[in-house]
């Protein structure tokens, strides 16, 4: 079955065609990052307006690249939550128009579930159950994926998401938005043991994260150096921060794998592109767990991952009437019958 999938939850407009949840037939993406970078972060109204401008052309491109017509599409999947509400509404409304005019099923698809599903595209052999770390600009979760549409949250961040911490640290270091990739790149030139930044744990919730402490520690370190008139060793700060976050993410994921008896471990989300995190996981899963890390091209936001997850939502019967709404927040373990 060919699914046409739409993603507009943040600052990437994307439309894709995916066959049977596993094969990408087309996957064009238009990123708005260059526009938002001027403001140091995503400006929601600008994001919505750019989605409106781009989505029609991207839809045509996705069908053309796949060599298909709308009539050869079996269903329309769209990110309905979580994300920027105005941005989500653009994709949801466009999807409704397509579903209505082509008389196709409409499949609401959860953005964070889709990040996990990016791995189904890269690894045909991957199937639940597994434990997954999802680390993105807005979310940090450790989940047990029991089947394609059943999730159990083991832990999540109590404050900032991992990507948010990267973006704020980048800003204080004078690096461009979004900050994850520039901090990661600068970290390659620094000493990860130069500064000891905090790695937070909670005795009562071993899989929960907190990144506001490490973020504030970096900000204080940089401001103290500035006040003393000392040069900031930006590469060492980047490397030490990168190390603290990667160690935290990796150790909690491996603890979850050990304690749940998982055989497979999955990484997902934009922060999944982090080179230190990828290396650490490869080292520490070796010989113990089958590790699935998405290719860099599928770590960030795209619509192919929506097509992958949408396929499994469709198989589970999770189609929506045209009254579908968008939601800024929605837990990953939402129950289709209750929430929609
Ligand atoms: O998943 P994503 O594309 O969008 C959301 O759903 O939030 O994640 C974007 C986040 C940003 O915070 C960005 O700074 C971070 O992923 N990121 C990275 C790297 N590349 C992107 N963080 C750490 N290291 C990277 N190499
Ligand atoms: Zn995302």
């Amino acid at each position: 079955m060919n699914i046409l999938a739409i993603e507009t939850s943040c600052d990437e407009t994307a439309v894709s065609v995916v066959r049977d949840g596993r094969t990408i037939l087309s996957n064009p993406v238009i990123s708005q990052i260059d526009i938002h970078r001027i403001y140091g972060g995503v400006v929601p109204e600008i994001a919505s307006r750019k989605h409106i401008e781009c989505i029609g052309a991207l839809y045509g491109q996705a069908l053309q690249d796949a060599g298909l017509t709308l009539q050869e599409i079996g269903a329309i999947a769209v990110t309905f939550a979580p994300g920027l509400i105005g941005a989500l509404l653009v994709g949801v409304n466009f999807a409704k128009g397509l579903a209505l005019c082509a008389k196709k099923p409409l499949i609401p698809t959860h953005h964070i579930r889709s990040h996990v599903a990016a791995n189904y595209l890269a690894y045909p052999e991957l199937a639940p159950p597994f434990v997954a770390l999802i680390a993105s600009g807005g979310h940090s979760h450790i989940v047990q994926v029991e089947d394609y549409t059943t999730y159990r949250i083991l832990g999540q961040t109590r404050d900032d998401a991992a990507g948010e911490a990267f973006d704020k640290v980048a800003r204080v270091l004078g690096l461009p938005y979004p900050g994850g990739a520039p901090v990661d790149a600068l970290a390659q030139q620094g000493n990860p043991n130069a500064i000891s930044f905090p790695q937070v744990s909670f005795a009562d919730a071993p899989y929960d994260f907190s990144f506001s402490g490490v973020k504030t520690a970096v900000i204080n370190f940089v401001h103290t150096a500035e006040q003393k008139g000392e040069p900031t060793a930006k590469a060492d700060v980047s490397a030490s921060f990168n190390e603290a976050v990667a160690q935290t993410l990796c150790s909690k994921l491996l603890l979850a794998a050990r304690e749940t008896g998982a055989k497979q471990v999955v990484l997902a989300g934009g922060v999944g592109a982090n080179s230190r995190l990828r290396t650490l996981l490869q080292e520490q899963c070796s010989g113990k767990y089958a590790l699935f890390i998405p290719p860099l091209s599928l770590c960030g936001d795209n619509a192919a991952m929506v097509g992958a997850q949408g396929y499994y939502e469709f198989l589970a019967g999770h189609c929506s009437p045209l009254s579908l709404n968008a939601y800024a927040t929605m837990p990953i373990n939402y129950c289709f019958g209750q929430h929609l």
Side-chain angles (χ1 to χ4, degrees), residues 5 26 63 71 79 117 129 131 147 153 157 200 228 247 266 277 296:
S26 62
L63 277 183
Q71 287 317 317
T79 304
V131 291
D147 71 42
I153 299 175
T157 183
V200 175
K228 288 183 184 164
Q247 290 283 359
V266 166
L277 178 59
L296 292 179

Side-chain angles (χ1 to χ4, degrees), residues 117-236:
N119 286 280
Y120 302 144
L121 299 163
Y123 303 103
E125 71 280 20
L126 175 62
F130 52 78
V131 291
L133 166 68
I134 308 140
S136 72
H139 300 84
S140 300
H141 278 72
I142 291 180
V143 294
Q144 228 176 341
V145 182
E146 292 168 351
D147 71 42
Y148 291 101
T149 59
T150 310
Y151 300 74
R152 199 158 76 87
I153 299 175
L154 300 175
Q156 53 196 315
T157 183
R158 295 191 174 190
D159 40 58
D160 293 355
E164 205 176 338
F166 270 98
D167 295 340
K168 288 179 181 162
V169 162
R171 183 190 284 224
V172 78
L173 291 174
L175 299 171
Y177 175 87
V183 169
D184 192 3
L186 189 57
Q188 309 306 315
Q189 299 159 33
N191 173 6
N193 303 313
I195 308 145
S196 175
F197 288 127
Q199 296 179 36
V200 175
S201 283
F202 301 99
D204 57 333
Y207 311 123
D208 274 5
F209 302 106
S210 166
F211 293 110
S212 77
V214 63
K215 173 198 73 183
T216 306
V218 173
I219 293 170
N220 288 344
F221 184 91
V222 172
H223 286 170
T224 304
E226 280 170 4
Q227 278 161 8
K228 288 183 184 164
E230 294 169 357
T232 310
K234 289 187 183 180
D236 284 350

Side-chain angles (χ1 to χ4, degrees), residues 236-319:
D236 284 350
V237 172
S238 296
S240 301
F241 165 76
N242 208 36
E243 185 68 18
V245 175
Q247 290 283 359
T248 301
L249 292 170
C250 181
S251 65
K252 288 179 191 287
L253 177 59
L254 266 89
L255 180 66
R258 198 161 58 241
E259 294 200 346
T260 59
K263 296 191 169 47
Q264 307 184 103
V265 169
V266 166
L267 178 63
V271 180
N274 186 266
S275 54
R276 182 63 183 139
L277 178 59
R278 294 167 82 93
T279 305
L280 267 180
L281 284 174
Q282 275 155 355
E283 284 169 5
Q284 296 193 17
C285 287
S286 174
K288 293 189 195 135
Y289 306 103
L291 174 66
F292 299 87
I293 294 184
L296 292 179
S297 59
L298 292 175
C299 284
D301 290 348
N302 63 86
M305 67 187 196
V306 181
Q309 183 59 28
Y311 177 70
Y312 292 103
E313 300 290 347
F314 178 81
L315 293 184
H318 297 168
C319 295

